[in-house]
Amino acid sequence: MKPRSAIKTDLFADEHHRKKLDSLGDPLADIESHIDFVALAAEVDEVAPRPASAQGGRPPYPTETMVRILVLKRLYNLSDEQMEYQLLDRMSYKRFCGLVNATHVPDRTTVWMFENRIGEAGAKALFDGVSAQLLKQGFIARGGQIIDATLVPAPKQHNSRGEKALIEQGAMPADWKPAKRRQKDINATWTKKHGKSHFGYKLSINVDKKYKIIRRIETDTASTHDSQHFDNVFDAGNTSRDVYADRGYPSEAREAWLKEKGFRNQIQRKGKRNKPLSECQQRRNQRIAKTRVRVEHVFAAIEQMGGKLLRTIGQARANFAMMMMAACYNLKRLVYFRKAGIEAF
């Protein structure tokens, strides 16, 4: 007698699988229902119009499809090669991108070319587009602003002392062939934090206390001091006058400026040589830390999206990747608000 098996075949098995995905709760379906990707695609097309295809040539994929692919790539920290594979393999990815019945899906080269075509301007358009949808839902900046920065690691470069000296002078070693130059990141820099050396870039953000949404963003190399980005990420539109930051940001000039503009200085104090903080100042730092720590939740959420390690070479692509990190974090935040039934007030 033939042994019985729980495996049964059905011509409509795919349909059964899709229904099962819906019953289990497909996170991409939640994103689909709460994010207006048509509006995001329009924002990208405005700053980076689609190129006209030659007569008889293959037309480009719709911008909306490619935007959805970029969101998937960032949310799950996928390479271009893995993105192509997952689009062919995963039912949920194909459904999210509208490619269920498509004969062909965008390959790794198509994804790479789209990213390079829209560039930093396209990533900024996506960030602004998601921010606009948050504002439309009433999630304006409330409760005060928190400013902080995080290091974004990049692949370490192994250069000789002579090569490093040339790079610091803005020159390129003559013996580097074109193929080697493409793999050398001459923009990323080294810095020390808590006694450890780090190589890569820096992401500075402004988060509002109420909703923990990224309101402003600035990108740079790792060696740039956190405080240099303060003015660029400062948000004068927050409904509260409280400004929170850690001990890397205080200065007499900054405190005077905040006081002159009517903002409440909630920046932690920093002790100096032979002049440690008083007990009162330490208590003040501890009180501020309880609020300032909310920005660390944002960095942790970005880390959970697959990590902050960059797979790119050069400042321009690093800026694109960091901008996409912020855009996708805000996108997930909006989906969370809508799914949880949280209303803005």
Side-chain angles (χ1 to χ4, degrees), residues 145 147 205-206 216 229-237 241-243 257-258 261 263:
Q145 55 189 298
I147 296 172
I205 62 173
N206 181 310
R216 299 286 180 87
H229 291 163
F230 185 92
D231 295 338
N232 293 338
V233 298
F234 189 85
D235 183 14
R241 311 301 284 176
D242 290 316
V243 180
W257 183 84
L258 289 172
K261 299 298 181 180
F263 291 96

Side-chain angles (χ1 to χ4, degrees), residues 154-191:
K156 293 182 177 65
Q157 304 292 300
H158 301 284
N159 302 319
S160 65
R161 290 185 178 180
E163 290 172 339
K164 290 179 181 178
L166 285 173
I167 292 172
E168 289 175 358
Q169 296 172 9
M172 188 82 69
D175 59 339
W176 282 6
K177 296 180 179 180
K180 185 173 183 177
R181 292 180 183 182
R182 287 194 293 269
Q183 298 302 317
K184 287 293 185 178
D185 194 336
I186 61 174
N187 301 126
T189 56
W190 287 93
T191 190

Side-chain angles (χ1 to χ4, degrees), residues 254-266:
R254 181 159 293 137
E255 292 180 16
W257 183 84
L258 289 172
K259 184 176 181 180
E260 178 186 351
K261 299 298 181 180
F263 291 96
R264 287 187 287 272
N265 180 9
Q266 304 287 0

